[in-house]
Amino acid sequence: MATEKRPVTIASLSKMKKRGERITMLTAYDFTMATILDQAGVDVLLVGDTLGMVLQGHLTTIPVTLRDMIYHGRLVAKAAKRAMVVVDLPFPHGQLGVQKTLQVSARIMKQTGCQAVKLEGGAEQAETIAALVSAGIPVIAHVGLRPQSVHALGGYRVQRDADRLERDALAAQAAGAFSVLMECVPRDLAKQVTERLNVPTIGIGAGPECDGQVLVTHDMLGLTLGHVPKFVRQLTNLTGQVQQAVAEYRQSVRDGSFPSAEESFE
Ligand code: KIV
């Protein structure tokens, strides 16, 4: 259990970068998991639109709705006592121009209780990021592989355009983003960007030199049914454990050993 109880803020994340302390971010979509991660000391809980793949069985994040994000964001924000809660802007709400993105982001913050939103895009989103920040809405910019543009990018591939990555990250920072999340980029590019930025970078498939790391919690726990990307470290195999427990339960129901006398009322 974590002992540090002071809530994580933009200022504390910035201090962590300055001190060279790595930031931990994990996805959370529900109250129970968010409570466990928060108590374990995870700094940032991301209500990611990956919930479309993990919880809803979609192949991409594109079908996820604003209603889904608000529903799950609320559950996670209710659980978090220390961690910062960040909610993704679902497709296409972050791509509809300054006014619409501002309205939707304000709604997400008001109705979930989160502390920040995550928006896919860099240089092309600079005006929108600046408008959100000046309205008091903290923003993490998501650059490199942008999953909501998976079809335009030709699939989930490593993004190797160094100029674009640097331009996006610098533009997002200049517009006021308090952090830049880089997905699926070569480690030397991620390192270069991390060294150039004053704000913390969070990597996923971006190597060890980022200021922090994020993973989809279900992937990390071995609860993913489909393909697991190369950059995931599976620290346990919950699928196997759940299957084993269910097999035992089924057997004990079938052979009559469950419930026992102790598990029954006289
Ligand atoms: O939606 C999400 O969970 C994400 C992670 C892949 C970082 O953006």
Side-chain angles (χ1 to χ4, degrees):
M1 284 264 184
T3 46
E4 173 68 69
K5 284 282 177 240
R6 232 171 315 151
V8 176
T9 59
I10 296 176
S12 56
L13 294 177
S14 166
K15 270 192 206 142
M16 285 175 81
K17 171 163 177 130
K18 287 193 188 107
R19 290 197 292 247
E21 268 173 57
R22 296 284 157 90
I23 297 163
T24 50
M25 180 192 271
L26 281 171
T27 59
Y29 314 125
D30 67 84
F31 180 83
T32 303
M33 185 63 84
T35 301
I36 294 169
L37 300 180
D38 184 56
Q39 290 180 353
V42 172
D43 300 308
V44 185
L45 299 180
L46 173 63
V47 187
D49 58 2
T50 43
L51 67 85
M53 295 153 102
V54 176
L55 302 185
Q56 299 174 338
H58 298 303
L59 291 176
T60 71
T61 58
I62 292 168
V64 175
T65 65
L66 179 59
R67 225 171 134 181
D68 294 333
M69 296 311 300
I70 289 175
Y71 174 79
H72 290 280
R74 226 181 238 162
L75 304 181
V76 172
K78 195 174 6 154
K81 300 283 177 279
R82 173 187 172 266
M84 173 186 283
V85 176
V86 179
V87 176
D88 251 339
L89 276 154
F91 181 81
H93 294 283
Q95 320 294 330
L96 295 179
V98 177
Q99 281 318 313
K100 286 191 175 147
T101 305
L102 183 54
Q103 273 168 12
V104 166
S105 304
R107 186 166 156 206
I108 288 175
M109 285 201 71
K110 215 174 164 68
Q111 296 187 357
T112 65
C114 71
Q115 284 85 46
V117 297
K118 178 164 77 61
L119 178 63
E120 291 192 11
E124 79 283 16
Q125 292 281 33
E127 207 189 325
T128 302
I129 294 171
L132 264 59
V133 173
S134 68
I137 302 173
V139 180
I140 296 185
H142 185 147
V143 303
L145 174 62
R146 288 157 288 120
Q148 292 174 8
S149 302
V150 61
H151 300 306
L153 294 171
Y156 294 103
R157 320 160 174 257
V158 179
Q159 304 297 302
R160 299 182 185 280
D161 185 340
D163 290 343
R164 166 127 204 224
L165 185 71
E166 201 159 292
R167 196 170 58 240
D168 280 343
L170 288 170
Q173 171 176 273
F178 74 91
S179 174
V180 173
L181 187 150
M182 295 187 276
E183 179 165 353
C184 270
V185 297
R187 100 181 244 192
D188 57 334
L189 293 188
K191 177 172 186 282
Q192 221 168 284
V193 169
T194 298
E195 285 167 358
R196 285 205 66 184
L197 292 190
N198 300 317
V199 298
T201 59
I202 309 286
I204 176 162
E209 285 91 5
C210 297
D211 298 306
Q213 297 290 329
V214 58
L215 281 178
V216 171
T217 300
H218 288 64
D219 289 346
M220 190 267 285
L221 295 177
L223 258 180
T224 304
L225 301 176
H227 167 73
V228 177
K230 166 187 160 81
F231 55 76
V232 170
R233 183 173 296 182
Q234 281 200 328
L235 290 161
T236 184
N237 172 16
L238 284 194
T239 301
Q241 290 183 40
V242 170
Q243 280 168 342
Q244 162 105 24
V246 172
E248 277 176 37
Y249 170 73
R250 185 167 173 267
Q251 179 59 31
S252 62
V253 170
R254 285 164 71 100
D255 66 19
S257 62
F258 175 80
S260 64
E262 293 77 39
E263 289 156 337
S264 306
F265 297 107
E266 292 304 327

